[in-house]
Amino acid sequence: MSTQIIDQLKKSKSYTEADEVIALFEQQSSSEKKKLVPELAKLLSNGRANEFVRSRTAELLGVSAVETARKILLTQLSMEKSGLVRGRIALALARNIKGDDIAEAIIEQFKVEKSVVIRRVMSRALIETESAAAIAELVKLIDEPDDKIRHQVIKALGKRKIVEAAPYLIERLEKEDPDYITQAILKALAAINDPRAAAIFIRYLQMDDLPVEIYITLVKGLAKLPKDELITQVLLEAVCHPQDIVSITATDTLVELYRRPEAGMKIAIFGVQQSQPDQYRRIANALRIIGDKGAIGYLQSLQNDASLSNNAQTLLEQIGGQQAVDALLSHRMGVLQKAGKRVEQFDKQALTIFHDTVNQAKIGFGISLKMSVGIYFVGFLLLMVSVVQIFDEDISNWIGFVTGATGFGSLLAMFYVGPLERVQNAVANLVQTEIVFLGYIRQVTQISAMFEREYLNNEKFDIAALKKLLGFTERTIRETMPLVQTYTAVSIPISEPEETEDDQS
């Protein structure tokens, strides 16, 4: 069986074929593996053998995990002339045989390697040793000229949460690096959870042209740092980020830092202070994700706040859901009830004024009637005096007769013509004035009903719509006042306002 494995390895021409041989070798017992070590050592040291086969032979020796194989690999590492084989020897040692001496041997070999490709393999082997002896060398490689080596080392330092690497990683951020390396540094700092990284994260988050991937990395990194007001403010601003994925990530991060109700309240308080419509959409999405009733209740409580009511109502409309809808309807019904009470008070005042006007007219009519009756009696008295004086034989008797006739004429005029005409006019004026007033009240009531319907059903009810309804009321007043002037004795000056666009429509 051992001979078959070596024969298959010699025939392999691809990594897939070689991996099948290695998998077969791993299935062998420890004794079988040990028997094959001398043959494998001979094949590895044969410089005339196929380079690819020799590189895979090193992996078989590593898998055997016997002390003899360990010594063979360490010796061959420094003697081997093929870079490919040296790299595979280093990986075989790092993956299968642990110890600080293995890490030190790889470090020494890495220092003398010239080929960038082999240095990449050696650095990966150094990472896979997971030895404390390798940490100092890995920290130095943060400034390695080759981007790929630098990238894999930075990722490894973050994964292992090497705290002593934090200042070097922060310093590296000040240098020009591709975005993927910058992102790796930020991720490493977030994993290390060094408080010094907070200021770095906040500074980067305030950049306008930051790639979305880095933005997400920074937001997630803040979740691992001690929470404070500045970090909270930055995360709240990130909730309003144009990219949905960033906004959602910031929302989740706030929930990690705070309890769900507290996070929802902070987002709601921040949201009502914003002014851009798109920001409302992001805030509403965040509050829907959190799903806390306390935030809805807070927004509902602001609907009577003159400075924040519009923002709160907009957020409730954006959030949707049964609770938000109930809050909106409750507020609107409250507003309508207040408006209805004001209209009711107006109706009562108007009716009171109308009744007072009618009563005053009745009093005036009564006074006019009493004056007419008084004049009637005066005329009748004069008539009687003149009749008595006719029978006297004095010239003054004729004067008395003329006076009596005049009194009789006045009597007839006052009794039949004056009072009757005034009574007819007064009654007609009162009835017509009452009809005009009732028509006015009817139109105002209909306009109020239209306002209530528009306010409840029209989501786009705004100042322009309100002005249009007010225009109807103003037009009703302008049409009513000339009629009142016609049926009353007092002339009321009416100024015609300039016609607006709403009037024309």
Side-chain angles (χ1 to χ4, degrees), residues 354 358 427-443 480 483-484 487:
F354 174 71
V358 171
V427 172
N429 287 347
L430 285 174
V431 172
Q432 293 176 21
T433 302
E434 184 173 6
I435 292 173
V436 170
F437 179 78
L438 291 176
Y440 170 71
I441 291 297
R442 178 63 176 169
Q443 291 190 55
T480 302
L483 296 176
V484 175
Y487 302 128

Side-chain angles (χ1 to χ4, degrees), residues 263-282:
M265 188 63 68
K266 287 183 178 295
I267 292 174
I269 293 172
F270 177 79
V272 295
Q273 297 172 353
Q274 307 311 302
S275 58
Q276 299 299 324
D278 192 58
Q279 291 175 324
Y280 292 139
R281 184 172 68 85
R282 304 294 179 190

Side-chain angles (χ1 to χ4, degrees), residues 156-168:
L157 291 169
K159 184 177 181 181
R160 294 175 64 177
K161 300 181 180 180
I162 306 301
V163 177
E164 50 264 46
Y168 298 96

Side-chain angles (χ1 to χ4, degrees), residues 6 10 14 137 188 252 285 296 303 366 407 410 423 434 438:
I6 292 179
K10 290 179 179 179
S14 66
E137 189 65 26
D252 293 339
N285 288 340
I296 302 295
Q303 290 185 302
S410 299
V423 169
E434 184 173 6
L438 291 176

Side-chain angles (χ1 to χ4, degrees), residues 380-391:
F380 182 77
L381 181 61
L382 291 174
L383 178 62
M384 294 301 296
V385 172
S386 64
V387 170
V388 172
Q389 291 181 347
I390 288 175
F391 296 98

Side-chain angles (χ1 to χ4, degrees), residues 218-237:
L218 294 170
V219 170
K220 288 182 176 179
L222 290 176
K224 299 178 174 64
L225 298 173
K227 61 184 179 183
D228 60 26
E229 289 300 322
L230 186 56
I231 287 178
T232 302
Q233 183 64 28
V234 170
L235 288 174
L236 289 172
E237 292 173 358

Side-chain angles (χ1 to χ4, degrees), residues 391-408:
F391 296 98
D392 292 335
E393 296 178 355
D394 191 356
I395 187 65
S396 61
N397 293 340
W398 295 102
I399 297 173
F401 176 77
V402 173
T403 303
T406 302
F408 182 71

